[in-house]
Amino acid sequence: MRPEIMKEFERAGERSLLSLVEHKEAGGKVAGVYCLFAPTELVRAAGAIPVSLCGKKEAPISAAEKTLPPNLCPLIKSSYGYAVTDTCPYFGASDFILGETTCDGKKKMFELMGRIKPLHLMHLPFDADGGQALAFWVQEMIRLKGFLEEQTGRSVEVRELNRQIKLQNEVRKLLWQISRFSRAETVPLSGLDMMTVMETKSSCSDLEAYAVLLRQLIKELEERCAAGVAVHRRGAPRILFTGCPVGTGSEKVLQLIEECGGVIVSMENCTGIKGQDLLVEEDTADPLQALARRYLRIPCSCMTPNEERLNLIRGLVEDYRVQGVVDLTWQCCHTYNVESFVVREFIETRHGLPSLHIETDYSSSDTEQLRTRIEAFLELIA
Protein backbone atom coordinates (compact mmCIF):
# COMPACT_ATOMS: atom_id res chain seq x y z
CA MET A 1 0.00 0.00 0.00
CA ARG A 2 1.29 3.45 -0.94
CA PRO A 3 1.46 6.42 1.43
CA GLU A 4 -1.86 8.27 1.19
CA ILE A 5 -0.13 11.61 0.59
CA MET A 6 1.22 10.32 -2.77
CA LYS A 7 -2.13 11.26 -4.32
CA GLU A 8 -1.29 14.91 -3.62
CA PHE A 9 2.08 14.57 -5.32
CA GLU A 10 0.40 13.12 -8.39
CA ARG A 11 -2.02 16.06 -8.53
CA ALA A 12 0.71 18.63 -7.97
CA GLY A 13 1.48 18.94 -11.69
CA GLU A 14 -2.00 20.21 -12.52
CA ARG A 15 -1.87 22.74 -9.70
CA SER A 16 1.54 23.92 -10.87
CA LEU A 17 0.30 24.51 -14.41
CA LEU A 18 -2.59 26.61 -13.06
CA SER A 19 -0.13 28.58 -10.94
CA LEU A 20 2.06 29.21 -13.97
CA VAL A 21 -0.92 30.61 -15.88
CA GLU A 22 -1.74 32.96 -13.00
CA HIS A 23 1.93 33.96 -12.71
CA LYS A 24 2.14 34.81 -16.41
CA GLU A 25 -1.17 36.69 -16.37
CA ALA A 26 0.31 38.85 -13.61
CA GLY A 27 3.29 39.65 -15.82
CA GLY A 28 5.68 37.03 -14.44
CA LYS A 29 8.11 34.96 -16.49
CA VAL A 30 8.68 31.22 -16.66
CA ALA A 31 12.08 29.63 -17.27
CA GLY A 32 12.31 26.18 -18.82
CA VAL A 33 15.22 24.12 -17.49
CA TYR A 34 16.60 20.68 -18.29
CA CYS A 35 19.38 20.00 -15.83
CA LEU A 36 20.48 20.02 -12.19
CA PHE A 37 23.20 22.51 -13.10
CA ALA A 38 20.61 25.28 -13.62
CA PRO A 39 20.73 27.38 -10.40
CA THR A 40 17.02 27.68 -9.70
CA GLU A 41 17.68 29.95 -6.70
CA LEU A 42 18.98 32.58 -9.10
CA VAL A 43 16.02 32.10 -11.44
CA ARG A 44 13.51 32.62 -8.63
CA ALA A 45 15.43 35.59 -7.24
CA ALA A 46 14.94 37.23 -10.65
CA GLY A 47 11.17 36.81 -10.30
CA ALA A 48 10.83 33.88 -12.74
CA ILE A 49 9.53 30.39 -11.98
CA PRO A 50 11.81 27.54 -13.13
CA VAL A 51 10.12 24.39 -14.44
CA SER A 52 11.66 21.17 -15.69
CA LEU A 53 10.80 20.55 -19.33
CA CYS A 54 9.51 17.30 -20.81
CA GLY A 55 12.01 14.86 -22.27
CA LYS A 56 11.33 11.41 -20.86
CA LYS A 57 8.77 9.88 -23.24
CA GLU A 58 9.14 8.13 -26.58
CA ALA A 59 6.18 9.73 -28.39
CA PRO A 60 7.86 12.91 -29.72
CA ILE A 61 11.12 11.23 -30.77
CA SER A 62 9.97 10.53 -34.34
CA ALA A 63 9.35 14.26 -34.86
CA ALA A 64 12.81 15.05 -33.52
CA GLU A 65 14.45 12.56 -35.87
CA LYS A 66 13.32 14.63 -38.84
CA THR A 67 16.13 16.99 -37.79
CA LEU A 68 18.32 15.10 -35.32
CA PRO A 69 20.23 11.89 -36.14
CA PRO A 70 18.60 8.64 -34.99
CA ASN A 71 21.78 7.50 -33.21
CA LEU A 72 21.43 10.12 -30.49
CA CYS A 73 20.48 9.86 -26.84
CA PRO A 74 16.68 9.41 -26.45
CA LEU A 75 16.59 12.08 -23.75
CA ILE A 76 17.91 14.65 -26.22
CA LYS A 77 15.58 13.54 -29.01
CA SER A 78 12.55 13.48 -26.71
CA SER A 79 13.36 16.95 -25.36
CA TYR A 80 13.70 18.41 -28.84
CA GLY A 81 10.67 16.50 -30.12
CA TYR A 82 8.49 18.04 -27.41
CA ALA A 83 9.81 21.48 -28.36
CA VAL A 84 9.17 21.24 -32.12
CA THR A 85 5.73 19.67 -31.66
CA ASP A 86 4.79 22.05 -28.82
CA THR A 87 3.28 19.17 -26.87
CA CYS A 88 4.92 19.84 -23.51
CA PRO A 89 2.74 22.24 -21.49
CA TYR A 90 5.76 23.44 -19.53
CA PHE A 91 7.65 24.25 -22.72
CA GLY A 92 4.59 26.12 -23.96
CA ALA A 93 4.44 28.12 -20.73
CA SER A 94 8.18 28.94 -20.78
CA ASP A 95 9.25 32.39 -21.88
CA PHE A 96 12.88 31.36 -22.26
CA ILE A 97 15.08 28.27 -21.89
CA LEU A 98 18.20 27.62 -19.83
CA GLY A 99 20.57 25.11 -21.38
CA GLU A 100 23.94 23.74 -20.33
CA THR A 101 26.90 22.03 -22.00
CA THR A 102 26.73 18.72 -20.14
CA CYS A 103 27.31 16.81 -23.38
CA ASP A 104 28.00 17.56 -27.04
CA GLY A 105 24.61 16.24 -28.15
CA LYS A 106 22.66 18.59 -25.89
CA LYS A 107 24.97 21.47 -26.75
CA LYS A 108 24.26 21.16 -30.46
CA MET A 109 20.56 20.45 -29.87
CA PHE A 110 20.31 23.71 -27.93
CA GLU A 111 21.53 25.56 -31.03
CA LEU A 112 18.41 24.36 -32.83
CA MET A 113 16.12 24.89 -29.84
CA GLY A 114 17.34 28.48 -29.64
CA ARG A 115 15.52 29.09 -32.92
CA ILE A 116 12.21 28.37 -31.17
CA LYS A 117 12.56 30.42 -27.98
CA PRO A 118 15.15 32.68 -26.35
CA LEU A 119 17.83 30.39 -24.91
CA HIS A 120 20.75 30.98 -22.59
CA LEU A 121 23.53 28.38 -22.66
CA MET A 122 25.64 27.92 -19.53
CA HIS A 123 29.16 26.70 -20.37
CA LEU A 124 30.31 24.14 -17.83
CA PRO A 125 33.93 23.57 -16.85
CA PHE A 126 34.63 19.85 -17.02
CA ASP A 127 37.07 19.69 -14.11
CA ALA A 128 35.47 20.59 -10.80
CA ASP A 129 38.80 20.84 -8.96
CA GLY A 130 41.00 23.89 -8.73
CA GLY A 131 40.42 27.63 -8.61
CA GLN A 132 40.27 28.12 -12.36
CA ALA A 133 37.12 26.05 -12.75
CA LEU A 134 35.40 27.87 -9.89
CA ALA A 135 36.40 31.28 -11.22
CA PHE A 136 35.04 30.35 -14.65
CA TRP A 137 31.77 29.05 -13.17
CA VAL A 138 31.32 32.20 -11.10
CA GLN A 139 31.54 34.20 -14.32
CA GLU A 140 28.87 31.94 -15.83
CA MET A 141 26.64 32.71 -12.84
CA ILE A 142 27.20 36.42 -13.43
CA ARG A 143 26.42 36.02 -17.13
CA LEU A 144 23.23 34.10 -16.31
CA LYS A 145 22.22 36.78 -13.80
CA GLY A 146 22.46 39.38 -16.57
CA PHE A 147 20.35 37.27 -18.92
CA LEU A 148 17.67 36.71 -16.28
CA GLU A 149 17.50 40.40 -15.39
CA GLU A 150 17.15 41.25 -19.07
CA GLN A 151 14.37 38.70 -19.58
CA THR A 152 12.40 39.53 -16.43
CA GLY A 153 13.09 43.25 -16.14
CA ARG A 154 13.87 42.69 -12.47
CA SER A 155 17.19 43.09 -10.67
CA VAL A 156 18.51 40.21 -8.57
CA GLU A 157 18.97 41.52 -5.03
CA VAL A 158 21.38 39.86 -2.60
CA ARG A 159 18.73 39.68 0.12
CA GLU A 160 16.21 37.90 -2.13
CA LEU A 161 18.84 35.55 -3.53
CA ASN A 162 19.86 34.55 0.00
CA ARG A 163 16.19 33.95 0.84
CA GLN A 164 15.79 31.66 -2.15
CA ILE A 165 18.98 29.82 -1.20
CA LYS A 166 17.57 29.09 2.26
CA LEU A 167 14.31 27.83 0.78
CA GLN A 168 16.04 25.52 -1.70
CA ASN A 169 18.33 24.25 1.05
CA GLU A 170 15.31 23.41 3.20
CA VAL A 171 13.75 21.42 0.36
CA ARG A 172 17.03 19.54 -0.18
CA LYS A 173 17.20 18.68 3.52
CA LEU A 174 13.62 17.36 3.47
CA LEU A 175 14.28 15.23 0.38
CA TRP A 176 17.45 13.86 1.94
CA GLN A 177 15.48 13.03 5.10
CA ILE A 178 12.87 11.19 3.04
CA SER A 179 15.55 9.18 1.26
CA ARG A 180 17.03 8.11 4.61
CA PHE A 181 13.92 6.14 5.55
CA SER A 182 15.03 3.46 3.09
CA ARG A 183 18.05 2.63 5.24
CA ALA A 184 15.71 0.59 7.45
CA GLU A 185 15.15 -3.12 6.95
CA THR A 186 11.54 -2.38 6.00
CA VAL A 187 11.49 0.19 3.18
CA PRO A 188 8.34 2.38 3.38
CA LEU A 189 8.53 4.11 -0.05
CA SER A 190 8.99 2.50 -3.46
CA GLY A 191 11.45 3.71 -6.06
CA LEU A 192 8.59 4.64 -8.39
CA ASP A 193 6.98 6.78 -5.68
CA MET A 194 10.31 8.42 -4.87
CA MET A 195 10.61 9.26 -8.56
CA THR A 196 7.17 10.90 -8.42
CA VAL A 197 8.20 12.96 -5.38
CA MET A 198 11.32 14.17 -7.19
CA GLU A 199 9.45 14.95 -10.41
CA THR A 200 7.03 17.10 -8.41
CA LYS A 201 9.98 19.20 -7.25
CA SER A 202 11.17 19.82 -10.80
CA SER A 203 7.80 21.17 -11.94
CA CYS A 204 6.65 22.84 -8.73
CA SER A 205 5.81 26.53 -9.01
CA ASP A 206 5.50 27.06 -5.23
CA LEU A 207 8.45 25.65 -3.29
CA GLU A 208 6.94 26.48 0.08
CA ALA A 209 3.81 24.45 -0.77
CA TYR A 210 6.06 21.63 -1.95
CA ALA A 211 7.93 21.72 1.36
CA VAL A 212 4.59 21.32 3.17
CA LEU A 213 3.87 18.19 1.11
CA LEU A 214 7.31 16.81 1.94
CA ARG A 215 6.75 17.30 5.66
CA GLN A 216 3.40 15.51 5.40
CA LEU A 217 5.11 12.65 3.59
CA ILE A 218 7.79 12.46 6.29
CA LYS A 219 5.10 12.22 8.97
CA GLU A 220 3.37 9.39 7.12
CA LEU A 221 6.64 7.56 6.53
CA GLU A 222 7.45 7.80 10.24
CA GLU A 223 4.09 6.19 11.01
CA ARG A 224 4.64 3.46 8.42
CA CYS A 225 8.09 2.68 9.81
CA ALA A 226 6.74 2.50 13.36
CA ALA A 227 4.07 0.06 12.19
CA GLY A 228 6.56 -2.00 10.18
CA VAL A 229 4.83 -1.30 6.86
CA ALA A 230 6.99 -2.17 3.85
CA VAL A 231 6.60 -1.84 0.08
CA HIS A 232 8.44 -5.13 -0.52
CA ARG A 233 8.43 -8.77 0.47
CA ARG A 234 10.63 -9.93 3.31
CA GLY A 235 14.20 -10.56 2.14
CA ALA A 236 13.83 -8.65 -1.14
CA PRO A 237 17.23 -7.78 -2.67
CA ARG A 238 18.22 -4.22 -1.75
CA ILE A 239 19.12 -2.39 -4.98
CA LEU A 240 20.96 0.86 -5.64
CA PHE A 241 19.76 2.35 -8.93
CA THR A 242 22.28 4.59 -10.67
CA GLY A 243 23.12 6.03 -14.07
CA CYS A 244 21.07 8.22 -16.43
CA PRO A 245 17.97 10.14 -15.29
CA VAL A 246 14.54 8.51 -15.56
CA GLY A 247 11.01 9.82 -15.28
CA THR A 248 7.39 9.14 -16.11
CA GLY A 249 7.50 7.52 -19.52
CA SER A 250 11.07 6.21 -19.21
CA GLU A 251 10.80 4.35 -15.92
CA LYS A 252 10.70 0.84 -17.42
CA VAL A 253 13.93 -0.41 -15.80
CA LEU A 254 12.99 1.02 -12.43
CA GLN A 255 9.54 -0.56 -12.71
CA LEU A 256 10.93 -3.93 -13.80
CA ILE A 257 13.28 -4.10 -10.80
CA GLU A 258 10.33 -3.69 -8.45
CA GLU A 259 8.02 -6.00 -10.45
CA CYS A 260 10.69 -8.71 -10.34
CA GLY A 261 10.93 -8.55 -6.57
CA GLY A 262 13.73 -6.12 -5.87
CA VAL A 263 13.44 -3.10 -3.60
CA ILE A 264 14.99 0.21 -4.64
CA VAL A 265 16.62 1.55 -1.50
CA SER A 266 18.28 4.50 -3.22
CA MET A 267 18.48 6.22 -6.60
CA GLU A 268 21.79 7.98 -7.18
CA ASN A 269 20.87 9.45 -10.56
CA CYS A 270 19.77 13.01 -11.40
CA THR A 271 16.12 12.16 -10.79
CA GLY A 272 17.11 10.64 -7.46
CA ILE A 273 19.16 12.11 -4.66
CA LYS A 274 22.21 13.25 -6.64
CA GLY A 275 23.04 16.69 -5.24
CA GLN A 276 20.42 16.68 -2.48
CA ASP A 277 23.18 16.42 0.13
CA LEU A 278 24.91 19.48 -1.33
CA LEU A 279 23.78 22.71 0.32
CA VAL A 280 24.56 26.31 -0.65
CA GLU A 281 26.30 28.40 1.98
CA GLU A 282 23.71 30.78 3.42
CA ASP A 283 23.71 34.53 4.25
CA THR A 284 26.92 35.32 2.40
CA ALA A 285 27.92 38.69 1.01
CA ASP A 286 28.54 37.04 -2.35
CA PRO A 287 25.77 34.45 -2.91
CA LEU A 288 26.77 33.98 -6.56
CA GLN A 289 30.11 32.63 -5.36
CA ALA A 290 28.28 30.33 -2.94
CA LEU A 291 26.00 29.08 -5.71
CA ALA A 292 28.96 28.43 -7.98
CA ARG A 293 30.74 26.37 -5.32
CA ARG A 294 27.70 24.20 -4.67
CA TYR A 295 26.63 23.57 -8.27
CA LEU A 296 30.17 22.78 -9.39
CA ARG A 297 30.20 19.83 -6.94
CA ILE A 298 27.31 17.97 -8.65
CA PRO A 299 28.83 14.55 -9.53
CA CYS A 300 27.67 14.35 -13.15
CA SER A 301 29.39 12.04 -15.62
CA CYS A 302 30.29 15.12 -17.69
CA MET A 303 32.92 15.91 -15.05
CA THR A 304 36.39 14.45 -15.45
CA PRO A 305 37.57 12.94 -13.27
CA ASN A 306 34.31 12.24 -11.45
CA GLU A 307 35.51 10.95 -8.10
CA GLU A 308 32.58 12.59 -6.28
CA ARG A 309 30.15 10.17 -7.92
CA LEU A 310 32.12 7.22 -6.57
CA ASN A 311 32.22 8.85 -3.14
CA LEU A 312 28.44 9.26 -3.22
CA ILE A 313 27.94 5.65 -4.33
CA ARG A 314 30.28 4.43 -1.57
CA GLY A 315 28.22 6.22 1.08
CA LEU A 316 24.92 4.92 -0.32
CA VAL A 317 26.16 1.34 -0.52
CA GLU A 318 27.27 1.41 3.10
CA ASP A 319 24.39 3.42 4.61
CA TYR A 320 21.58 1.62 2.77
CA ARG A 321 23.07 -1.88 3.08
CA VAL A 322 22.92 -2.33 -0.69
CA GLN A 323 23.10 -5.89 -2.03
CA GLY A 324 23.32 -5.12 -5.74
CA VAL A 325 23.65 -2.18 -8.15
CA VAL A 326 21.76 -1.58 -11.40
CA ASP A 327 23.46 1.00 -13.62
CA LEU A 328 21.28 2.40 -16.44
CA THR A 329 22.68 4.04 -19.56
CA TRP A 330 20.52 5.47 -22.31
CA GLN A 331 21.76 4.50 -25.75
CA CYS A 332 24.35 6.94 -27.14
CA CYS A 333 24.89 8.61 -23.75
CA HIS A 334 28.65 8.33 -24.07
CA THR A 335 29.72 9.86 -20.76
CA TYR A 336 27.61 7.53 -18.64
CA ASN A 337 28.42 4.57 -20.89
CA VAL A 338 32.17 5.04 -20.49
CA GLU A 339 31.79 5.70 -16.78
CA SER A 340 29.80 2.48 -16.34
CA PHE A 341 33.10 0.58 -16.51
CA VAL A 342 34.51 2.59 -13.61
CA VAL A 343 31.30 2.15 -11.60
CA ARG A 344 31.19 -1.62 -12.19
CA GLU A 345 34.85 -1.99 -11.25
CA PHE A 346 34.30 0.10 -8.11
CA ILE A 347 31.20 -1.85 -7.04
CA GLU A 348 32.52 -5.33 -7.73
CA THR A 349 36.13 -4.84 -6.62
CA ARG A 350 35.83 -2.34 -3.80
CA HIS A 351 32.55 -3.57 -2.30
CA GLY A 352 32.33 -7.15 -3.58
CA LEU A 353 28.77 -6.61 -4.80
CA PRO A 354 27.12 -7.81 -8.03
CA SER A 355 26.26 -5.16 -10.60
CA LEU A 356 24.15 -5.07 -13.73
CA HIS A 357 24.73 -2.55 -16.51
CA ILE A 358 21.74 -1.94 -18.78
CA GLU A 359 21.93 0.03 -22.01
CA THR A 360 18.53 0.74 -23.56
CA ASP A 361 16.25 3.45 -24.96
CA TYR A 362 12.74 4.71 -24.27
CA SER A 363 10.93 2.06 -26.34
CA SER A 364 9.20 -0.99 -24.87
CA SER A 365 10.61 -3.36 -27.51
CA ASP A 366 13.20 -4.88 -25.16
CA THR A 367 11.04 -4.98 -22.02
CA GLU A 368 10.78 -8.77 -21.78
CA GLN A 369 14.46 -9.22 -22.56
CA LEU A 370 15.28 -6.79 -19.75
CA ARG A 371 12.87 -8.58 -17.44
CA THR A 372 14.77 -11.84 -18.00
CA ARG A 373 18.12 -10.17 -17.25
CA ILE A 374 16.81 -8.43 -14.14
CA GLU A 375 15.13 -11.59 -12.82
CA ALA A 376 18.40 -13.52 -13.23
CA PHE A 377 20.34 -10.72 -11.51
CA LEU A 378 17.98 -10.67 -8.53
CA GLU A 379 18.08 -14.46 -8.24
CA LEU A 380 21.86 -14.22 -8.10
CA ILE A 381 21.58 -11.92 -5.09
CA ALA A 382 18.89 -13.95 -3.34
Side-chain angles (χ1 to χ4, degrees):
M1 184 186 303
R2 308 172 71 201
E4 189 66 26
I5 192 64
M6 287 306 304
K7 296 176 183 177
E8 294 302 315
F9 283 96
E10 291 176 338
R11 289 193 283 260
E14 294 180 17
R15 292 196 296 269
S16 290
L17 283 171
L18 290 174
S19 296
L20 292 180
V21 171
E22 294 172 358
H23 177 72
K24 289 175 68 71
E25 288 177 348
K29 300 292 184 179
V30 175
V33 300
Y34 284 103
C35 184
L36 288 182
F37 282 104
T40 52
E41 299 94 332
L42 186 53
V43 176
R44 290 182 183 273
I49 294 178
V51 292
S52 182
L53 300 180
C54 308
K56 298 187 179 79
K57 291 186 178 181
E58 183 185 18
I61 287 179
S62 59
E65 287 179 342
K66 294 177 181 178
T67 305
L68 300 178
N71 59 336
L72 193 63
C73 164
L75 189 149
I76 297 173
K77 292 189 291 185
S78 179
S79 300
Y80 187 69
Y82 271 115
V84 295
T85 58
D86 196 20
T87 50
C88 172
Y90 296 106
F91 190 91
S94 298
D95 296 286
F96 52 88
I97 309 299
L98 302 184
E100 77 302 317
T101 57
T102 47
C103 75
D104 288 342
K106 288 178 73 176
K107 180 171 63 178
K108 301 306 290 185
M109 181 270 287
F110 283 133
E111 289 183 10
L112 300 177
M113 192 174 285
R115 300 179 180 184
I116 303 173
K117 289 196 176 186
L119 186 146
H120 178 86
L121 190 65
M122 298 189 75
H123 296 275
L124 273 165
F126 296 122
D127 181 357
D129 296 326
Q132 289 185 335
L134 178 59
F136 178 86
W137 194 230
V138 168
Q139 289 303 310
E140 285 299 289
M141 292 287 174
I142 294 172
R143 196 167 67 88
L144 174 60
K145 173 177 173 289
F147 173 81
L148 291 170
E149 290 177 333
E150 179 183 346
Q151 292 294 318
T152 64
R154 175 172 164 177
S155 297
V156 174
E157 305 294 339
V158 171
R159 182 176 179 179
E160 176 60 15
L161 183 50
N162 275 321
R163 188 181 78 84
Q164 293 295 339
I165 286 172
K166 288 182 179 180
L167 182 55
Q168 287 279 9
N169 277 347
E170 178 62 21
V171 167
R172 292 183 183 111
K173 291 175 186 176
L174 292 170
L175 287 169
W176 187 254
Q177 184 178 348
I178 289 169
S179 74
R180 305 293 276 178
F181 281 100
S182 295
R183 293 180 301 166
E185 184 174 345
T186 55
V187 178
L189 189 69
S190 71
L192 286 171
D193 279 343
M194 187 63 187
M195 184 192 75
T196 299
V197 170
M198 295 299 297
E199 281 197 316
T200 303
K201 174 182 180 293
S202 64
S203 62
C204 185
S205 58
D206 186 344
L207 269 189
E208 292 175 327
Y210 177 65
V212 170
L213 276 182
L214 293 179
R215 292 188 185 96
Q216 291 174 337
L217 176 58
I218 288 170
K219 181 179 179 181
E220 190 167 349
L221 291 177
E222 288 173 341
E223 294 171 351
R224 288 166 69 85
C225 284
V229 177
V231 296
H232 58 91
R233 62 174 175 81
R234 186 178 180 84
R238 300 172 64 86
I239 303 299
L240 168 64
F241 187 62
T242 183
C244 291
V246 298
T248 302
S250 60
E251 74 276 38
K252 65 179 180 182
V253 175
L254 184 63
Q255 184 171 344
L256 282 171
I257 293 171
E258 297 189 328
E259 286 181 357
C260 294
V263 54
I264 306 293
V265 294
S266 186
M267 294 190 293
E268 179 271 340
N269 54 22
C270 298
T271 43
I273 62 170
K274 187 191 293 287
Q276 300 307 327
D277 60 332
L278 303 175
L279 303 180
V280 182
E281 185 181 357
E282 298 180 3
D283 295 320
T284 65
D286 188 356
L288 288 181
Q289 179 94 2
L291 282 173
R293 280 196 295 269
R294 185 265 172 191
Y295 278 87
L296 195 57
R297 292 173 58 202
I298 295 173
C300 177
S301 66
C302 68
M303 293 295 173
T304 181
N306 190 19
E307 292 297 325
E308 286 303 313
R309 183 182 177 200
L310 298 182
N311 290 335
L312 176 57
I313 289 175
R314 178 190 298 113
L316 296 175
V317 166
E318 294 172 354
D319 288 352
Y320 292 76
R321 294 177 290 119
V322 169
Q323 296 174 291
V325 177
V326 176
D327 183 21
L328 169 68
T329 300
W330 295 128
Q331 287 176 358
C332 299
C333 181
H334 302 311
T335 57
Y336 271 105
N337 217 346
V338 172
E339 202 164 277
S340 67
F341 168 80
V342 178
V343 170
R344 182 174 66 252
E345 182 182 57
F346 179 76
I347 291 297
E348 296 180 355
T349 304
R350 176 67 179 265
H351 294 281
L353 294 175
S355 66
L356 175 65
H357 178 234
I358 291 175
E359 183 179 2
T360 184
D361 59 13
Y362 285 4
S363 74
S364 59
S365 60
D366 62 349
T367 298
E368 293 311 309
Q369 179 189 53
L370 291 175
R371 186 188 302 276
T372 300
R373 291 183 63 197
I374 291 169
E375 284 176 344
F377 179 68
L378 296 177
E379 287 177 7
L380 176 66
I381 297 173

